[in-house]
Amino acid sequence: MAKEMLGDAPEYEFVTPSLRGADWNKYRGSSVYQAEIEYRHKFSSLWSGVAFAGAAVIGNQDRYYNSAVQSEVVPSAGVGVRYLLNAKERFTIGVDAAVSKMGNTSFYIRFGEAF
C-alpha cells in the first residue's frame, strides 16, 4: 500500500503508516510505502492463531532542497489468537499484540477479518 502527499501541506496533514504496532503519531512523512504479511494456523474448529510482520518506508521530502530525501524504515511484527463465533458467517473475534521500532507495543481487539 502506498500513500503520498502532493503539494505543500502542514505537518499535521502528513501521511502515516497503518501497520499494526506502528505509532502513527510518531511516524509521519510526505510518503509512506508499506507491506504486511500474515500467517494463519487453525488449532481446532474454533481456535486459530496468527503471526504477522510488516515494514513501512516513510519518506520526508526536504522543503528547502528538492533533491534531498530522508527516509525511515519502520518494521513491525506480532501474534494473535482468534475464536470463531459463527461458523456459518465465518465471524471471529480476536486479540493481537504487535511490536515495532523503538519498542512500541500495541494491543488490538478484532471483530471479523479483513480478508
Side-chain angles (χ1 to χ4, degrees):
M1 177 167 67
K3 301 179 197 175
E4 286 200 31
M5 182 182 66
L6 301 174
D8 197 25
E11 250 183 75
Y12 62 84
E13 292 287 335
F14 280 11
V15 294
T16 60
S18 56
L19 292 174
R20 287 176 275 187
D23 184 354
W24 58 269
N25 279 320
K26 188 175 204 174
Y27 303 109
R28 295 175 175 265
S30 57
S31 63
V32 173
Y33 303 95
Q34 67 184 39
E36 189 172 28
I37 59 170
E38 180 175 286
Y39 171 74
R40 297 178 186 175
H41 181 76
K42 224 175 178 178
F43 296 114
S44 71
S45 62
L46 297 177
W47 290 96
S48 61
V50 296
F52 52 89
V57 177
I58 300 156
N60 293 307
Q61 181 73 32
D62 193 317
R63 294 177 186 207
Y64 302 106
Y65 304 102
N66 288 336
S67 62
V69 176
Q70 297 176 333
S71 63
E72 183 174 10
V73 176
V74 179
S76 74
V79 295
V81 294
R82 304 285 187 270
Y83 181 76
L84 182 63
L85 277 180
N86 185 338
K88 183 178 177 184
E89 299 292 325
R90 299 205 37 84
F91 183 74
T92 61
I93 60 170
V95 177
D96 292 346
V99 66
S100 70
K101 191 174 186 176
M102 306 285 280
N104 292 328
T105 304
S106 301
F107 298 95
Y108 301 88
I109 298 173
R110 302 181 63 91
F111 298 94
E113 295 290 345
F115 53 91

